[in-house]
Amino acid sequence: MSRRRSFGIAFPFLILALVVGGWTVWWFTLVSRLEAGLDQGAARLREAGWEISHAEPIVTGWPFRARLELADVEVVMPSGHGLRSEHMLAEALAYQPDRWVLMAPDGLSLGRGAKGWTSVTGQALRASVSGLSRTPPRVVVELNQPRFAAEAGAAPFPIASAERLIINLIPGDATGADEAGLLFELTGAAGRPGGPLEAMAEQRPFDLSAEAVIGQAGALDGATWTEALSAWAREGGALTEVRTEATAGEDYIRGASDQLMADANGRMTGDFRIDMRGGTAPLVGLASAPGVDPQAAAAVRLGVQITSGLRGDTGLTFRFTDGRTRVGPIDLGPAPKVF
């Protein structure tokens, strides 16, 4: 056999070896960058007061994926908000390293600041993050059949369970310059026994959806959630085109606002109009919500009953101003705290 012929037979294998070798070098370079980025990001957050800990990461997935496995994860902001999980996975395609999928197959716990920790379990708890170089990035959170339970010493969580929860943050390239779209959807939910949401829904399963446009989204920048929201408020950030809907059986509450903002103290400002069908059960639940004056809520409920009948349609406008929540002349209590 001639030397030329032998080389011709070996040539495809040589090309394959070069491709595999080159790809392997790229994969290990990607993994090295990932591990270095993880360490650097954790160091920056620790300097800002975060508490971050996890076991030594395990990286697998060659040749087409980068798969990061972490055990005993705890990430907590200075405010006490955060998450922890015994087992978390993060995965990206090696040829698309700007899009990551995160999973918590064994459940996780959510830190709620002074309210303590809430455990979350379900069939699937996952999130995807892409466009990490942008502020904000594209984020999709999906929880299938989540179950919520307050841990020892924590305040009760308002929702006991749901069929599905989705949060979708769409950056400005889809909605306009320096804007982001926010979508929230909760289906087949049940309020915790004895809680305000259960009273509002009259112990029926309920669905909740909300959408808004976040103006000045690029100002959402900071080492903590409070810092990011404070910077956003200082830059004139606002929620516009706000639409919400809650349904339980044939009854519903629909809300809308042209603009909601936050004042220097982090309290919401603006008007929020709601239309209700199904009586005053939502207002009964409102009376038991934290911070609401029960006597003021009862006065609002009585006014609604007089004007619309026991189970008729009615509308109310909640005005958030000067740190308070008012319906007409009635002061219900503090305005919602944004940060």
Side-chain angles (χ1 to χ4, degrees):
M1 180 180 295
S2 68
R3 182 175 299 175
R4 180 183 295 273
R5 185 178 178 185
S6 299
F7 179 77
I9 295 174
F11 182 74
F13 295 98
L14 177 62
I15 295 298
L16 179 62
L18 290 173
V19 170
V20 172
W23 185 262
T24 300
V25 170
W26 158 249
W27 187 88
F28 278 103
T29 300
L30 174 64
V31 167
S32 178
R33 290 176 179 173
L34 170 62
E35 293 177 327
L38 186 66
D39 291 339
Q40 292 169 3
R44 286 195 299 268
L45 292 176
R46 289 191 184 102
E47 290 177 358
W50 291 49
E51 297 179 12
I52 299 178
S53 62
H54 55 76
E56 188 69 22
I58 300 173
V59 183
T60 58
W62 184 90
F64 299 119
R65 296 178 183 274
R67 183 181 177 91
L68 176 68
E69 186 171 355
L70 290 172
D72 301 324
V73 179
E74 184 165 0
V75 180
V76 185
M77 299 179 184
S79 63
H81 295 83
L83 65 84
R84 58 191 183 198
S85 176
E86 294 181 357
H87 184 208
M88 293 198 74
L89 301 171
E91 186 174 277
L93 296 173
Y95 52 83
Q96 194 180 10
D98 196 38
R99 182 181 186 276
W100 286 87
V101 176
L102 296 86
M103 295 162 281
D106 301 323
L108 52 83
S109 293
L110 295 176
R112 301 168 58 209
K115 295 181 179 180
W117 290 82
T118 297
S119 66
V120 186
T121 57
Q123 285 192 353
L125 310 177
R126 56 178 173 259
S128 67
V129 184
S130 59
L132 296 174
S133 61
R134 295 175 298 190
T135 302
R138 173 69 187 271
V139 180
V140 179
V141 178
E142 183 177 0
L143 310 182
N144 287 328
Q145 297 193 358
R147 302 293 183 267
F148 305 92
E151 297 184 2
F157 195 71
I159 300 171
S161 64
E163 289 299 313
R164 195 179 188 197
L165 186 154
I166 296 178
I167 301 172
N168 198 338
L169 180 63
I170 307 170
D173 58 352
T175 57
D178 205 19
E179 292 183 344
L182 179 63
L183 305 174
F184 174 90
E185 185 176 357
L186 180 71
T187 57
R192 66 173 175 84
L197 290 181
E198 185 188 58
M200 290 180 178
E202 296 180 305
Q203 301 183 341
R204 295 172 294 181
F206 63 90
D207 299 338
L208 176 63
S209 62
E211 61 181 72
V213 174
I214 304 173
Q216 300 293 331
L220 284 166
D221 191 18
T224 67
W225 185 238
T226 298
E227 288 180 7
L229 287 174
S230 297
W232 174 71
R234 287 195 302 270
E235 292 297 321
L239 297 179
T240 60
E241 302 178 35
V242 180
R243 301 291 183 270
T244 65
E245 182 175 47
T247 60
E250 296 181 354
D251 301 333
Y252 65 76
I253 304 176
R254 293 173 182 153
S257 177
D258 293 332
Q259 179 174 277
L260 295 172
M261 303 180 71
D263 63 19
N265 296 318
R267 295 286 181 182
M268 185 177 292
T269 65
D271 290 351
F272 189 73
R273 167 79 182 183
I274 67 168
D275 295 296
M276 298 187 299
R277 170 177 291 177
T280 58
L283 299 179
V284 174
L286 177 66
S288 62
V292 175
D293 183 341
Q295 293 182 342
V300 172
R301 184 172 70 248
L302 178 60
V304 169
Q305 289 174 336
I306 292 173
T307 58
S308 65
L310 293 179
R311 297 197 67 83
D313 298 350
T314 191
L316 293 171
T317 296
F318 290 84
R319 175 157 293 175
F320 309 115
T321 182
D322 299 327
R324 308 298 295 178
T325 300
R326 294 182 173 88
V327 175
I330 301 175
D331 188 327
L332 286 173
K337 186 77 170 174
V338 179
F339 60 86

